[in-house]
Structures are given as structure tokens and as C-alpha cells.
Amino acid sequence: MANVKFHSGKQLPLEMHKVRIVQKLFLPPVEERRRLMNEAGNNTFLLQNRDVFMDMLTDSGVNAMSDLQQSAMLRADDAYAGSETYNRMVAKVREIFGMTYFLPVHQGRAAENILATAYVKPGDVVPMNFHFTTTKAHITRLGGSVEELIVKEGLEPVNDCPFKGNFDIPRLEALIAKVGPEHIPFVRIEAGTNLVGGQPLSLQNMRDVAAVCRKHGLRLILDASLLQDNLYFIKAREAECRNMSIREITAEIASLMDIIYFSARKLGFARGGGISMRHREDELRMKELIPLYEGFLTYGGMSVREMEAIVVGLDESMDEDIISQGPQFIEYMAKELHRRGVPVILPAGGLGCHVNATEFLSHIPQEQYPAGALAAALYIAGGVRGMERGTLSEQRNEDGSERFAELELLRLAMPRRVYTLSQVEYAIDRVEWLWKNRALVGGLRFVEEPKVLRFFFGRLEPIGDWQDRLVAKFREDFGDSL
């Protein structure tokens, strides 16, 4: 991937690959999109993919595989025990992370389940720079709690901080002093904070967290699911790392950790995951849980074909030309929207472009889920499926009151090696149109609300007739166009 300056003076991200396999897309008419959105309970997770033009819901499991990954899948060894595919995967993870022990799992949240089950007990506190939804759910179901210790800049929509995902080290020290190391089963770093705009941590900040953990005898765990974006940002933004290779930066990060887990649906361009460990006692503690929850120790619930794809995908995640595509396309989208007046998270992070729904829909109170309303409105306006990352993604407090999110974001994920620049321009155009017509958008309320992870399968309805008015305005401005 490269940023290339054109003769006109314009600088654009340039794809460093060519497309050889294509998949047909469909764009239903706006009236149909409004009907489909309501049938899906105004929850973009419940839309059918056949009704989505641009799927920017997530980057998880929807990234394009390379030719080398596709060919590697043909040599998969499907032996239940003693599989050569498993041996190749273990060897590749050891090569990249430098850790002796490895346990396979079928995806990232499976690793979260194993880790929480092995280490968390009632009353425990898990410090982290910021939580992820399923991580927090696994910890709280076992009676533990989560403390988010991200630096204050991480919760500011726009500033010039290059590493808004950093741990606040003084707050970490204060928390350890308050609760005691014996009540902290591990400290978790999320490399690329998903819920606050995919913002990265610096290598130096990880060193600082590791030093605190060593001083207090605490286990340090890295969620490396979004590591490849974070690696790109470290090389691009951290002065001491500019002359380091991606593999060298990865090795330095891994040397600081006791355990690294990852979702290969993000890191590795395939579907699966794993837990890599430095210490034998950690492997023994978790090993017996793999057959119980996942599958045998040689596949952990994964298809061996996917495991072969992960082996190649992990190598590709160490290639700067490959991993730069996502961040550079996201930066382009964020800067273009910002130039047109649309409020977005800046500097742009990884994973996707994040629209600030609090400012975009400032007339909608937080209890009416402005980020969720914006996600519904964007699908109606353009057939683009984004994901709400705000209050709707939180769980209610024990007394039933809303736990309001620090940030109300609409995430427009950028699946790796999937979309062309013209498609990104289309998404930008539809977001800009919504911004100019934002006064038409109203709030949402639940009609079916699950108690846990409600954003996955809860159903909502629009408050008032704002969606009808949005469709009418679309027809006024675009005529017969889709």
C-alpha cells in the first residue's frame, strides 16, 4: 500500500494488489431499504447480507484472502490428532511472538472465555486501557469487574495525540495500590482500542505498563486482534520505531507480555484464533479448558483449512505494504468527511472510520441511542451497513438504568483488501448527505431488549415518522437513483 501523489496534486491511497475474484453486490431502492431496516428491528446486525450494498459493520472474518492463503488451504491435514496443519500453525505463532506455548481457539471471544474462566474469580478487578464488549461480559459473568484506564485524550473526539489508546500509568499504579495485586488476576492491553475509534498504543507505553506489572508481580496479557493496525501506527508515528521492521516491532511488543491472544478473523485474514503463552504454568492452567469448550488441542474448534490460511495470513500481517491498506483508506475517509464538515474521530485510528454521533445528531438525547439511529439512517440513505459503538453497545446498570457510553460512535469498518476507492467515495457521499439532512433523523427505542450483549440481537423502533421523512427527502434530492 502506498500514498501516491497524482499529477493534479491530489494524494490518494493506492491499492498494492489486484482483484482476481469478485462478488456481485446489490443496492435495493431506498423505500425497500427503509422496509428492510424496520424488519431488522433497526439493528444493522439483523440485516441480511444480500440486502447490503457496502458491509462496513466489522472487519472481523470478512477480510479478503490472498492467492497464497487460498492455495495453502489445499494442503490442510485434517487428522484429529497429530495434524501437520497444527504443527505449522504453532511454528508460525512461535516465530512471530517468540513464545513457547500455544493453544488454538475458534475465535477471539473464545480466548476471552478461556482466560476469564482460568483466572477471574468473584471480587477480582481487571485493569485495561479500554474494554471490549465480550471481554467485559466474560469477566463480569464470573463476578469480576473491569477498570478502564485509558489516557484522557482517548475520550476526546478530536485532538493531536498520536496514541489515544495509551494506558494512564499513574491511574494504573493507584488502582493496584487501592485493590491490591492479589485481587488483580491480570492486566489487559488492547492493541487498537476497538470501542474508542481503533486508537493505538505506543511501544513505550506498553513498556511502561510491563514495568508496572513486573514490579507488582502481575500477569500482563495482550489482545492482539487489532495488532496489525497498531503496528502500522507505531512505525509511522513513534520516532524510535521508524527504522524498525514490522517483525522487529512485533518481537519487542511480545517480549513484554506473558500471554498474547488474538482473533485471526482480524489478525491473519482468516477465521480462528489462539492463545500464545510464555510460561508453562499458564499453559497447564488453560490447556484442559480447550477440549471442554473448543475442541481437541490440535484444532480448537477451527477448520484445518482456515488454520492453513492463518499461517500465511500471519506472515502477511508482518508485511508493511499489506497492513498499511486499512489505516490509509480509513485516514482518507476520515479526512474527507472532516473536510466536508462531518464530525469524525481524529486522528484516524485502525479498524474503521468513526463518526461522532453525539455531535452529528446533537438533537437526539443519549437515551434514544443516537449512534444506533445514525446507523439505521445511513443504511436507509445508502445501503451502507455500519455498527453502533455507543450506549446501545453497553449493558444496563444493575438497577436497570442506562450506562451511558463515553463516546457515541458510528463505526464504518474497512474490511482489508475488499473495497475500492470509488466505493469508499460513495460511502463518504452518503454520510455527507445525511449530515446536511441530519435534522430529519430521530431517535430509537427498544421493543425487544436482551439483558446481555443487546446490540447483537435487540430490536428497536423509530420514535416518530422520521424515517418516512428521510425517504421523502432522498427522493426529492436523488430522483429515481438508488
Side-chain angles (χ1 to χ4, degrees), residues 6-86:
F6 287 70
H7 180 67
S8 64
K10 191 169 186 178
Q11 192 160 326
L12 297 172
L14 184 68
E15 297 91 340
M16 297 297 288
H17 61 263
K18 57 185 177 182
V19 178
R20 298 291 298 275
I21 297 177
V22 297
Q23 185 175 24
K24 188 175 182 179
L25 295 174
F26 299 93
L27 180 58
V30 64
E31 292 83 4
E32 183 73 359
R33 298 196 295 266
R34 187 227 187 274
R35 182 184 67 80
L36 291 166
M37 189 74 264
N38 279 267
E39 286 183 356
N42 290 277
N43 182 345
T44 54
F45 271 98
L46 301 181
L47 287 167
Q48 298 301 303
N49 191 53
R50 63 176 176 267
D51 300 322
V52 174
F53 177 61
M54 285 186 69
D55 193 358
M56 306 183 84
L57 183 80
T58 182
D59 66 337
S60 181
V62 292
N63 301 297
M65 283 190 185
S66 69
D67 54 347
L68 296 179
Q69 285 183 288
Q70 293 278 352
S71 61
M73 293 171 77
L74 296 176
R75 69 171 182 172
D77 177 3
D78 60 1
Y80 191 87
S83 165
E84 282 303 305
T85 291
Y86 169 76

Coordinates of all heavy atoms in Angstrom, one line a residue, residues 6-86:
F6 N -0.7 12.4 -7.2 CA -1.1 12.4 -8.6 C -0.6 13.7 -9.2 O -0.3 14.7 -8.5 CB -2.6 12.2 -8.8 CG -3.0 10.8 -8.6 CD1 -3.0 10.2 -7.3 CD2 -3.4 10.0 -9.6 CE1 -3.4 8.9 -7.1 CE2 -3.8 8.6 -9.4 CZ -3.8 8.1 -8.1
H7 N -0.5 13.8 -10.6 CA -0.1 15.0 -11.3 C -1.0 16.2 -10.9 O -0.5 17.3 -10.9 CB -0.2 14.7 -12.8 CG 0.3 15.9 -13.6 ND1 1.5 16.4 -13.6 CD2 -0.5 16.7 -14.4 CE1 1.6 17.4 -14.4 NE2 0.4 17.7 -14.9
S8 N -2.2 15.9 -10.6 CA -3.1 17.0 -10.2 C -2.8 17.6 -8.8 O -3.2 18.7 -8.5 CB -4.6 16.5 -10.1 OG -4.7 15.5 -9.1
G9 N -1.9 16.9 -8.1 CA -1.5 17.3 -6.8 C -2.3 16.6 -5.7 O -1.9 16.7 -4.5
K10 N -3.3 15.9 -6.0 CA -4.1 15.2 -5.0 C -3.4 13.9 -4.6 O -2.7 13.3 -5.4 CB -5.5 14.8 -5.6 CG -6.4 14.2 -4.6 CD -7.9 14.1 -5.2 CE -8.8 13.7 -4.1 NZ -10.2 13.6 -4.6
Q11 N -3.4 13.6 -3.3 CA -2.7 12.5 -2.8 C -3.8 11.4 -2.3 O -4.7 11.7 -1.6 CB -1.9 12.9 -1.6 CG -0.9 11.8 -1.1 CD 0.3 12.3 -0.3 OE1 0.7 13.4 -0.5 NE2 0.7 11.5 0.6
L12 N -3.7 10.2 -2.9 CA -4.7 9.2 -2.7 C -4.0 7.9 -2.2 O -2.9 7.6 -2.6 CB -5.5 8.9 -3.9 CG -6.3 10.0 -4.5 CD1 -6.9 9.6 -5.9 CD2 -7.4 10.4 -3.6
P13 N -4.7 7.1 -1.4 CA -4.2 5.8 -1.1 C -4.3 4.9 -2.4 O -5.3 4.9 -3.1 CB -5.1 5.3 0.0 CG -6.3 6.0 -0.2 CD -6.0 7.4 -0.7
L14 N -3.3 4.1 -2.6 CA -3.2 3.3 -3.8 C -3.2 1.8 -3.4 O -2.3 1.4 -2.7 CB -2.0 3.6 -4.7 CG -1.8 2.9 -6.0 CD1 -2.9 3.4 -7.0 CD2 -0.4 3.2 -6.6
E15 N -4.1 1.0 -4.0 CA -4.1 -0.4 -3.7 C -2.9 -1.1 -4.2 O -2.5 -0.9 -5.4 CB -5.3 -1.1 -4.3 CG -6.7 -0.6 -3.7 CD -7.3 0.6 -4.5 OE1 -6.5 1.2 -5.2 OE2 -8.5 0.8 -4.3
M16 N -2.2 -1.9 -3.4 CA -1.0 -2.6 -3.8 C -1.3 -4.1 -4.0 O -0.6 -5.0 -3.7 CB 0.1 -2.5 -2.7 CG 0.6 -1.1 -2.5 SD 1.4 -0.3 -4.0 CE 2.9 -1.2 -4.0
H17 N -2.5 -4.3 -4.7 CA -2.9 -5.6 -5.1 C -3.9 -5.5 -6.2 O -4.3 -4.4 -6.5 CB -3.6 -6.3 -3.9 CG -4.9 -5.6 -3.4 ND1 -4.9 -4.8 -2.4 CD2 -6.2 -5.6 -3.9 CE1 -6.1 -4.3 -2.2 NE2 -6.9 -4.8 -3.1
K18 N -4.1 -6.6 -6.9 CA -5.1 -6.6 -8.0 C -6.2 -7.6 -7.6 O -6.0 -8.5 -6.9 CB -4.5 -6.9 -9.3 CG -3.8 -8.2 -9.4 CD -3.1 -8.4 -10.8 CE -2.3 -9.7 -10.8 NZ -1.6 -9.8 -12.1
V19 N -7.4 -7.3 -8.1 CA -8.6 -8.1 -7.8 C -8.8 -9.2 -8.8 O -8.8 -9.0 -10.0 CB -9.9 -7.3 -7.7 CG1 -11.1 -8.1 -7.4 CG2 -9.7 -6.2 -6.6
R20 N -8.8 -10.5 -8.3 CA -8.9 -11.6 -9.3 C -10.2 -12.4 -9.1 O -10.6 -13.1 -9.9 CB -7.8 -12.6 -9.1 CG -6.4 -11.9 -9.4 CD -6.2 -11.6 -10.9 NE -6.3 -12.8 -11.7 CZ -5.2 -13.5 -11.9 NH1 -4.0 -13.2 -11.4 NH2 -5.3 -14.6 -12.7
I21 N -10.9 -12.3 -7.9 CA -12.2 -12.9 -7.7 C -13.1 -11.8 -7.2 O -12.8 -11.0 -6.4 CB -12.1 -14.0 -6.6 CG1 -11.1 -15.1 -7.0 CG2 -13.4 -14.6 -6.2 CD1 -10.9 -16.2 -6.0
V22 N -14.3 -11.8 -7.8 CA -15.3 -10.7 -7.4 C -16.6 -11.3 -6.9 O -16.9 -12.5 -7.2 CB -15.5 -9.8 -8.6 CG1 -14.3 -9.1 -9.0 CG2 -16.2 -10.5 -9.8
Q23 N -17.3 -10.5 -6.2 CA -18.6 -11.0 -5.7 C -19.6 -9.9 -6.0 O -19.4 -8.7 -5.7 CB -18.5 -11.1 -4.1 CG -19.7 -11.7 -3.5 CD -19.5 -11.9 -2.0 OE1 -18.7 -11.3 -1.4 NE2 -20.3 -12.8 -1.4
K24 N -20.7 -10.3 -6.6 CA -21.7 -9.3 -7.0 C -22.4 -8.6 -5.8 O -22.7 -9.3 -4.9 CB -22.8 -9.9 -7.9 CG -23.7 -9.0 -8.6 CD -24.6 -9.6 -9.6 CE -25.6 -8.6 -10.3 NZ -26.5 -9.3 -11.2
L25 N -22.7 -7.3 -5.9 CA -23.3 -6.6 -4.9 C -24.7 -6.1 -5.4 O -24.9 -6.0 -6.6 CB -22.5 -5.4 -4.5 CG -21.2 -5.6 -3.8 CD1 -20.4 -4.3 -3.6 CD2 -21.4 -6.4 -2.5
F26 N -25.6 -5.8 -4.5 CA -26.9 -5.4 -4.8 C -27.3 -4.1 -4.0 O -26.8 -4.0 -2.8 CB -28.0 -6.4 -4.5 CG -27.8 -7.7 -5.4 CD1 -27.1 -8.8 -4.8 CD2 -28.3 -7.8 -6.6 CE1 -26.8 -9.9 -5.6 CE2 -28.1 -9.0 -7.4 CZ -27.4 -10.0 -6.9
L27 N -28.0 -3.2 -4.6 CA -28.4 -2.0 -3.9 C -29.9 -1.8 -4.0 O -30.4 -1.4 -5.0 CB -27.7 -0.8 -4.4 CG -28.0 0.6 -3.8 CD1 -27.7 0.6 -2.3 CD2 -27.2 1.7 -4.5
P28 N -30.7 -2.2 -3.0 CA -32.1 -2.1 -3.0 C -32.6 -0.6 -3.1 O -31.8 0.2 -2.6 CB -32.6 -2.8 -1.7 CG -31.5 -3.6 -1.2 CD -30.2 -2.8 -1.7
P29 N -33.7 -0.3 -3.7 CA -34.2 1.0 -3.7 C -34.4 1.6 -2.3 O -34.6 0.8 -1.3 CB -35.6 0.9 -4.4 CG -35.5 -0.4 -5.2 CD -34.6 -1.3 -4.4
V30 N -34.4 2.9 -2.1 CA -34.5 3.5 -0.8 C -35.7 3.1 0.0 O -35.7 2.8 1.2 CB -34.4 5.0 -0.9 CG1 -35.6 5.6 -1.7 CG2 -34.2 5.6 0.5
E31 N -36.9 2.9 -0.7 CA -38.1 2.5 0.0 C -38.0 1.1 0.6 O -38.4 0.8 1.6 CB -39.3 2.6 -0.9 CG -39.7 4.0 -1.3 CD -38.9 4.5 -2.5 OE1 -38.1 3.7 -3.1 OE2 -39.1 5.7 -2.9
E32 N -37.3 0.3 -0.2 CA -37.0 -1.1 0.2 C -36.1 -1.1 1.4 O -36.2 -1.9 2.3 CB -36.5 -1.9 -1.0 CG -36.3 -3.4 -0.7 CD -37.5 -4.2 -0.6 OE1 -38.6 -3.6 -0.7 OE2 -37.4 -5.4 -0.4
R33 N -35.1 -0.3 1.3 CA -34.1 -0.2 2.4 C -34.8 0.2 3.7 O -34.5 -0.3 4.8 CB -33.0 0.8 2.1 CG -32.2 0.3 0.9 CD -30.8 1.0 0.8 NE -30.9 2.5 0.6 CZ -30.9 3.1 -0.6 NH1 -30.8 2.3 -1.7 NH2 -30.9 4.4 -0.7
R34 N -35.7 1.1 3.6 CA -36.5 1.6 4.8 C -37.3 0.4 5.4 O -37.3 0.1 6.6 CB -37.4 2.7 4.5 CG -38.1 3.3 5.8 CD -39.6 3.5 5.5 NE -40.2 4.2 6.6 CZ -40.6 3.6 7.7 NH1 -40.5 2.3 7.8 NH2 -41.2 4.3 8.7
R35 N -37.9 -0.4 4.5 CA -38.7 -1.5 5.0 C -37.8 -2.6 5.6 O -38.1 -3.1 6.7 CB -39.5 -2.1 3.8 CG -40.4 -3.3 4.2 CD -41.0 -3.9 3.0 NE -40.1 -4.6 2.1 CZ -39.5 -5.8 2.3 NH1 -39.9 -6.5 3.4 NH2 -38.7 -6.3 1.4
L36 N -36.7 -2.9 5.0 CA -35.8 -3.9 5.5 C -35.2 -3.5 6.8 O -35.0 -4.3 7.7 CB -34.7 -4.1 4.4 CG -35.1 -4.8 3.1 CD1 -34.0 -4.7 2.1 CD2 -35.4 -6.3 3.4
M37 N -34.9 -2.2 7.0 CA -34.3 -1.7 8.2 C -35.3 -1.9 9.4 O -34.9 -2.3 10.5 CB -33.9 -0.2 8.1 CG -33.1 0.3 9.3 SD -31.4 -0.2 9.3 CE -31.5 -1.6 10.4
N38 N -36.6 -1.7 9.1 CA -37.6 -1.9 10.1 C -37.8 -3.4 10.4 O -38.1 -3.8 11.6 CB -38.9 -1.2 9.8 CG -38.8 0.3 10.1 OD1 -39.2 0.7 11.2 ND2 -38.3 1.1 9.2
E39 N -37.8 -4.2 9.4 CA -37.9 -5.7 9.6 C -36.8 -6.2 10.4 O -36.9 -7.2 11.2 CB -38.0 -6.4 8.2 CG -39.3 -6.2 7.5 CD -39.3 -7.0 6.2 OE1 -38.3 -7.7 5.9 OE2 -40.4 -7.1 5.5
A40 N -35.6 -5.5 10.3 CA -34.4 -5.9 11.1 C -34.4 -5.3 12.5 O -33.4 -5.4 13.2 CB -33.2 -5.6 10.3
G41 N -35.5 -4.6 12.9 CA -35.6 -4.0 14.2 C -34.6 -2.9 14.4 O -34.1 -2.6 15.5
N42 N -34.3 -2.2 13.3 CA -33.4 -1.0 13.3 C -32.1 -1.4 13.9 O -31.4 -0.6 14.6 CB -34.1 0.2 14.0 CG -35.2 0.8 13.1 OD1 -34.9 1.5 12.2 ND2 -36.4 0.3 13.4
N43 N -31.7 -2.6 13.7 CA -30.4 -3.1 14.2 C -29.7 -3.7 13.0 O -30.1 -4.7 12.4 CB -30.7 -4.3 15.3 CG -29.4 -4.8 15.9 OD1 -28.3 -4.6 15.4 ND2 -29.5 -5.5 17.0
T44 N -28.6 -3.1 12.7 CA -27.8 -3.5 11.5 C -27.3 -4.9 11.5 O -27.1 -5.5 10.5 CB -26.7 -2.5 11.2 OG1 -25.8 -2.4 12.3 CG2 -27.2 -1.1 10.8
F45 N -27.1 -5.4 12.8 CA -26.7 -6.8 12.9 C -27.8 -7.8 12.3 O -27.5 -8.9 11.9 CB -26.5 -7.2 14.3 CG -25.1 -6.9 14.8 CD1 -24.7 -5.8 15.5 CD2 -24.1 -7.9 14.5 CE1 -23.4 -5.6 15.9 CE2 -22.8 -7.6 14.9 CZ -22.4 -6.5 15.6
L46 N -29.0 -7.4 12.3 CA -30.1 -8.3 11.9 C -30.5 -8.1 10.4 O -31.4 -8.8 9.9 CB -31.3 -8.0 12.8 CG -31.1 -8.2 14.3 CD1 -32.4 -8.0 15.1 CD2 -30.6 -9.6 14.6
L47 N -29.8 -7.3 9.7 CA -29.9 -7.2 8.2 C -29.4 -8.4 7.6 O -28.4 -9.0 8.0 CB -29.2 -5.9 7.7 CG -29.9 -4.6 8.0 CD1 -28.9 -3.5 7.6 CD2 -31.2 -4.4 7.2
Q48 N -30.0 -8.8 6.5 CA -29.4 -9.9 5.6 C -28.4 -9.4 4.7 O -28.5 -8.3 4.1 CB -30.5 -10.6 4.8 CG -31.6 -11.3 5.7 CD -31.0 -12.3 6.7 OE1 -30.4 -13.2 6.2 NE2 -31.3 -12.1 8.0
N49 N -27.3 -10.1 4.6 CA -26.2 -9.6 3.7 C -26.6 -9.3 2.3 O -26.1 -8.4 1.6 CB -25.0 -10.5 3.8 CG -23.7 -9.9 3.2 OD1 -23.3 -8.8 3.6 ND2 -23.1 -10.6 2.2
R50 N -27.6 -10.1 1.8 CA -28.0 -9.9 0.4 C -28.6 -8.5 0.2 O -28.8 -8.1 -0.9 CB -29.0 -11.0 0.0 CG -30.3 -11.0 0.8 CD -31.3 -12.0 0.3 NE -32.5 -12.1 1.2 CZ -32.6 -12.9 2.2 NH1 -31.7 -13.8 2.5 NH2 -33.7 -12.9 2.9
D51 N -29.0 -7.9 1.3 CA -29.7 -6.6 1.2 C -28.8 -5.4 1.5 O -29.2 -4.3 1.6 CB -30.9 -6.5 2.2 CG -31.9 -7.6 1.9 OD1 -32.2 -7.9 0.7 OD2 -32.5 -8.2 2.9
V52 N -27.5 -5.7 1.6 CA -26.5 -4.7 2.0 C -25.6 -4.4 0.8 O -25.0 -5.4 0.2 CB -25.6 -5.2 3.2 CG1 -24.5 -4.2 3.5 CG2 -26.5 -5.4 4.4
F53 N -25.4 -3.2 0.4 CA -24.5 -2.8 -0.7 C -23.0 -2.8 -0.2 O -22.2 -3.4 -0.7 CB -24.9 -1.5 -1.2 CG -24.0 -1.0 -2.3 CD1 -23.8 -1.7 -3.5 CD2 -23.3 0.2 -2.2 CE1 -23.0 -1.3 -4.5 CE2 -22.4 0.6 -3.2 CZ -22.3 -0.1 -4.4
M54 N -22.8 -2.0 0.8 CA -21.4 -1.9 1.4 C -21.5 -2.4 2.9 O -22.1 -1.7 3.7 CB -20.8 -0.5 1.3 CG -20.3 -0.1 -0.1 SD -19.4 1.4 -0.1 CE -17.9 1.0 0.8
D55 N -20.9 -3.5 3.2 CA -20.9 -4.0 4.5 C -19.7 -3.5 5.3 O -18.6 -4.0 5.2 CB -20.9 -5.5 4.5 CG -21.3 -6.1 5.9 OD1 -21.5 -5.3 6.8 OD2 -21.4 -7.4 6.0
M56 N -20.0 -2.4 6.1 CA -18.9 -1.8 6.9 C -19.2 -2.0 8.4 O -18.8 -1.3 9.2 CB -18.8 -0.3 6.6 CG -18.6 -0.1 5.1 SD -18.3 1.7 4.7 CE -16.6 1.9 5.0
L57 N -19.9 -3.1 8.7 CA -20.3 -3.5 10.0 C -19.0 -3.8 10.9 O -18.9 -3.4 12.0 CB -21.2 -4.7 10.0 CG -21.7 -5.2 11.4 CD1 -22.9 -4.3 11.8 CD2 -22.2 -6.6 11.3
T58 N -18.1 -4.6 10.3 CA -17.0 -5.1 11.0 C -15.8 -5.4 10.1 O -16.1 -5.6 8.8 CB -17.3 -6.3 11.9 OG1 -16.2 -6.7 12.6 CG2 -17.8 -7.4 11.0
D59 N -14.7 -5.6 10.6 CA -13.5 -6.1 9.9 C -13.2 -7.5 10.3 O -12.2 -8.1 9.9 CB -12.3 -5.2 10.1 CG -11.8 -5.3 11.5 OD1 -12.6 -5.6 12.4 OD2 -10.6 -5.0 11.7
S60 N -14.1 -8.2 11.0 CA -13.9 -9.5 11.6 C -14.4 -10.6 10.7 O -15.7 -10.7 10.5 CB -14.6 -9.5 13.0 OG -14.4 -10.8 13.6
G61 N -13.5 -11.4 10.2 CA -13.9 -12.5 9.4 C -14.4 -12.2 8.0 O -14.9 -13.0 7.3
V62 N -14.3 -10.9 7.6 CA -14.8 -10.5 6.3 C -13.7 -9.9 5.4 O -13.9 -9.3 4.4 CB -15.9 -9.5 6.4 CG1 -17.2 -10.1 7.0 CG2 -15.5 -8.3 7.2
N63 N -12.4 -10.1 5.8 CA -11.3 -9.6 5.0 C -11.0 -10.6 3.8 O -11.3 -11.7 3.9 CB -10.1 -9.5 5.9 CG -10.3 -8.6 7.1 OD1 -10.5 -7.4 6.9 ND2 -10.2 -9.2 8.3
A64 N -10.5 -10.0 2.8 CA -10.2 -10.8 1.6 C -8.9 -11.6 1.8 O -7.9 -11.2 2.3 CB -10.0 -9.9 0.4
M65 N -9.0 -12.9 1.4 CA -7.8 -13.8 1.4 C -7.0 -13.6 0.2 O -7.5 -13.2 -0.9 CB -8.2 -15.2 1.5 CG -8.7 -15.7 2.9 SD -8.9 -17.5 2.9 CE -9.6 -17.7 4.5
S66 N -5.7 -13.8 0.4 CA -4.8 -13.7 -0.8 C -4.7 -15.0 -1.6 O -5.2 -16.0 -1.1 CB -3.3 -13.4 -0.3 OG -2.8 -14.5 0.4
D67 N -4.1 -14.9 -2.7 CA -3.9 -16.1 -3.5 C -3.1 -17.2 -2.8 O -3.4 -18.4 -2.8 CB -3.2 -15.8 -4.9 CG -1.9 -15.0 -4.7 OD1 -1.7 -14.5 -3.6 OD2 -1.2 -14.9 -5.7
L68 N -2.1 -16.7 -2.0 CA -1.3 -17.7 -1.2 C -2.1 -18.3 -0.1 O -1.8 -19.5 0.2 CB 0.0 -17.0 -0.7 CG 0.9 -16.4 -1.7 CD1 2.1 -15.7 -1.0 CD2 1.4 -17.5 -2.6
Q69 N -3.0 -17.6 0.5 CA -3.8 -18.2 1.5 C -4.8 -19.3 0.9 O -4.9 -20.4 1.5 CB -4.6 -17.1 2.2 CG -3.9 -16.3 3.2 CD -4.8 -15.3 3.9 OE1 -5.2 -14.3 3.3 NE2 -5.0 -15.5 5.2
Q70 N -5.4 -18.9 -0.2 CA -6.3 -19.9 -0.9 C -5.5 -21.1 -1.3 O -6.1 -22.2 -1.1 CB -6.9 -19.2 -2.1 CG -7.8 -18.0 -1.8 CD -9.2 -18.5 -1.5 OE1 -9.5 -19.6 -1.6 NE2 -10.0 -17.5 -1.0
S71 N -4.3 -21.0 -1.8 CA -3.6 -22.2 -2.2 C -3.2 -23.0 -1.0 O -3.2 -24.3 -1.0 CB -2.4 -21.8 -3.1 OG -1.5 -21.0 -2.4
A72 N -2.8 -22.4 0.1 CA -2.4 -23.1 1.3 C -3.5 -23.9 1.9 O -3.2 -25.0 2.5 CB -1.9 -22.1 2.4
M73 N -4.7 -23.5 1.7 CA -5.9 -24.3 2.2 C -6.0 -25.7 1.6 O -6.5 -26.6 2.2 CB -7.2 -23.5 2.0 CG -7.2 -22.2 2.8 SD -8.6 -21.2 2.4 CE -10.0 -22.0 3.2
L74 N -5.4 -25.9 0.4 CA -5.5 -27.2 -0.2 C -4.6 -28.2 0.4 O -4.8 -29.4 0.1 CB -5.1 -27.0 -1.7 CG -6.1 -26.1 -2.5 CD1 -5.5 -25.9 -4.0 CD2 -7.5 -26.7 -2.6
R75 N -3.6 -27.8 1.2 CA -2.7 -28.8 1.8 C -3.1 -29.2 3.2 O -2.3 -29.8 3.9 CB -1.3 -28.3 1.7 CG -0.9 -27.1 2.6 CD 0.5 -26.9 2.7 NE 0.9 -25.8 3.6 CZ 2.1 -25.4 3.9 NH1 3.1 -26.1 3.4 NH2 2.3 -24.4 4.7
A76 N -4.3 -28.8 3.7 CA -4.7 -29.0 5.1 C -4.7 -30.4 5.4 O -5.1 -31.3 4.7 CB -6.1 -28.4 5.3
D77 N -4.1 -30.7 6.6 CA -4.1 -32.1 7.2 C -5.2 -32.2 8.2 O -5.1 -31.6 9.3 CB -2.7 -32.3 7.8 CG -2.6 -33.7 8.5 OD1 -3.6 -34.5 8.4 OD2 -1.6 -34.0 9.1
D78 N -6.3 -32.9 7.9 CA -7.4 -33.0 8.8 C -7.4 -34.1 9.8 O -8.4 -34.5 10.4 CB -8.7 -33.0 8.0 CG -8.8 -34.3 7.1 OD1 -7.9 -35.1 7.1 OD2 -9.8 -34.4 6.4
A79 N -6.2 -34.6 10.1 CA -6.1 -35.6 11.2 C -6.6 -35.0 12.5 O -6.2 -33.9 12.8 CB -4.6 -36.1 11.3
Y80 N -7.3 -35.8 13.3 CA -7.8 -35.3 14.5 C -6.7 -35.0 15.5 O -6.7 -34.0 16.2 CB -8.8 -36.3 15.1 CG -9.6 -35.7 16.3 CD1 -10.8 -35.0 16.1 CD2 -9.2 -35.9 17.6 CE1 -11.6 -34.5 17.1 CE2 -9.9 -35.4 18.7 CZ -11.1 -34.7 18.5 OH -11.8 -34.2 19.5
A81 N -5.7 -35.9 15.6 CA -4.6 -35.7 16.4 C -3.3 -35.8 15.6 O -3.2 -36.6 14.6 CB -4.6 -36.8 17.5
G82 N -2.3 -35.1 16.0 CA -1.0 -35.1 15.3 C -1.0 -34.5 14.0 O -0.2 -34.8 13.1
S83 N -1.9 -33.5 13.8 CA -2.0 -32.8 12.5 C -0.8 -32.0 12.1 O -0.4 -31.2 12.9 CB -3.3 -32.0 12.5 OG -3.3 -31.1 11.4
E84 N -0.4 -32.1 10.9 CA 0.7 -31.3 10.4 C 0.3 -29.8 10.3 O 1.1 -28.9 10.4 CB 1.3 -31.8 9.1 CG 2.2 -33.0 9.2 CD 3.4 -32.7 10.1 OE1 4.1 -31.7 9.8 OE2 3.6 -33.4 11.1
T85 N -1.0 -29.6 10.0 CA -1.5 -28.2 9.9 C -1.3 -27.6 11.3 O -0.9 -26.4 11.3 CB -3.0 -28.3 9.5 OG1 -3.1 -28.7 8.2 CG2 -3.7 -26.9 9.7
Y86 N -1.7 -28.3 12.3 CA -1.5 -27.7 13.7 C 0.0 -27.4 13.9 O 0.3 -26.3 14.4 CB -2.0 -28.7 14.7 CG -1.6 -28.3 16.1 CD1 -2.3 -27.3 16.8 CD2 -0.6 -29.0 16.8 CE1 -1.9 -27.0 18.1 CE2 -0.2 -28.7 18.1 CZ -0.9 -27.7 18.7 OH -0.5 -27.3 20.0

